[in-house]
Amino acid sequence: KKNAKQNLALSRGMLKLPLLGAFTLKIQIARFTRTMELLIKSGIAVIEAIQTAAPVVSNAVLRDEFVKCLKDIKEGGSFGKSLRKSKLFPNFMTNLLSVGEESGRLDEALGEIASFYEREADEAIRIFTSLLEPLMILGMGLVVGFIVIAMLLPMFEINMMVK
């Protein structure tokens, strides 16, 4: 019980972090929708697919939202409208899900969402690594500079004592 509360608090905090929160959301949405797409294409009903795909999401807050959505669907609601209520998911995702449900092509809509967020996550990783490289070079320069100064400073002090 205590561990579940900590996990929920950590997941909520993770989603609120400035850059990491959006990145986490993209990855979790891509993972969930890709799993859902594969399950629905395999002929599994939407309710069973959500029950199977929800544990794939590692963020507890998002997983709970998918489980709440499952309750709404069992009561006859719409998948997209149910997710829209939570305010966590982007309008692009919820609108595309609603259109996919109405047109009877939910698997295609899920595939499109998954592809979009996978591309977004890849782009975010590419940007992060391109920013990380100069920072690592700067860090290594500082370490080398510190070592050089640490070695030369005693020599200069000895030289001053001799004079």
Side-chain angles (χ1 to χ4, degrees):
K1 188 82 174 171
K2 184 180 178 186
N3 195 20
K5 285 184 179 180
Q6 289 174 340
N7 189 19
L8 194 66
L10 183 66
S11 294
R12 191 173 290 116
M14 190 78 149
L15 288 174
K16 289 183 181 178
L17 290 174
L19 295 173
L20 203 58
F23 180 69
T24 301
L25 184 65
K26 288 174 188 175
I27 287 188
Q28 298 299 322
I29 288 173
R31 186 180 293 170
F32 176 79
T33 53
R34 182 65 70 198
T35 306
M36 282 283 295
E37 176 201 16
L38 294 172
L39 291 169
I40 289 175
K41 276 186 178 176
S42 299
I44 295 173
V46 174
I47 292 173
E48 292 175 39
I50 293 173
Q51 288 172 335
T52 306
V56 170
V57 177
S58 59
N59 188 291
V61 174
L62 296 175
R63 190 178 330 114
D64 289 349
E65 288 301 327
F66 289 126
V67 171
K68 285 179 194 172
C69 169
L70 187 61
K71 182 183 172 194
D72 287 349
I73 292 172
K74 286 180 181 175
E75 294 173 357
S78 165
F79 188 29
K81 289 177 183 171
S82 177
L83 287 179
R84 192 173 296 129
K85 282 188 234 171
S86 77
K87 302 277 190 251
L88 274 173
F89 300 100
N91 284 335
F92 168 76
M93 176 190 177
T94 57
N95 290 340
L96 203 54
L97 280 174
S98 295
V99 169
E101 279 181 301
E102 291 169 12
S103 67
R105 297 174 182 245
L106 185 59
D107 58 336
E108 291 177 21
L110 287 164
E112 189 62 38
I113 293 167
S115 297
F116 175 77
Y117 284 111
E118 285 166 354
R119 283 191 305 270
E120 289 277 313
D122 288 343
E123 182 69 17
I125 290 170
R126 191 185 62 72
I127 290 170
F128 177 72
T129 54
S130 68
L131 291 175
L132 189 63
E133 187 178 346
L135 290 175
M136 288 176 62
I137 291 170
L138 180 67
M140 290 301 291
L142 290 173
V143 168
V144 169
F146 176 76
I147 291 171
V148 167
I149 290 174
M151 290 174 63
L152 291 179
L153 197 59
M155 288 184 200
F156 287 134
E157 288 178 5
I158 291 172
N159 192 20
M160 291 295 183
M161 285 182 187
V162 171
K163 289 182 180 180

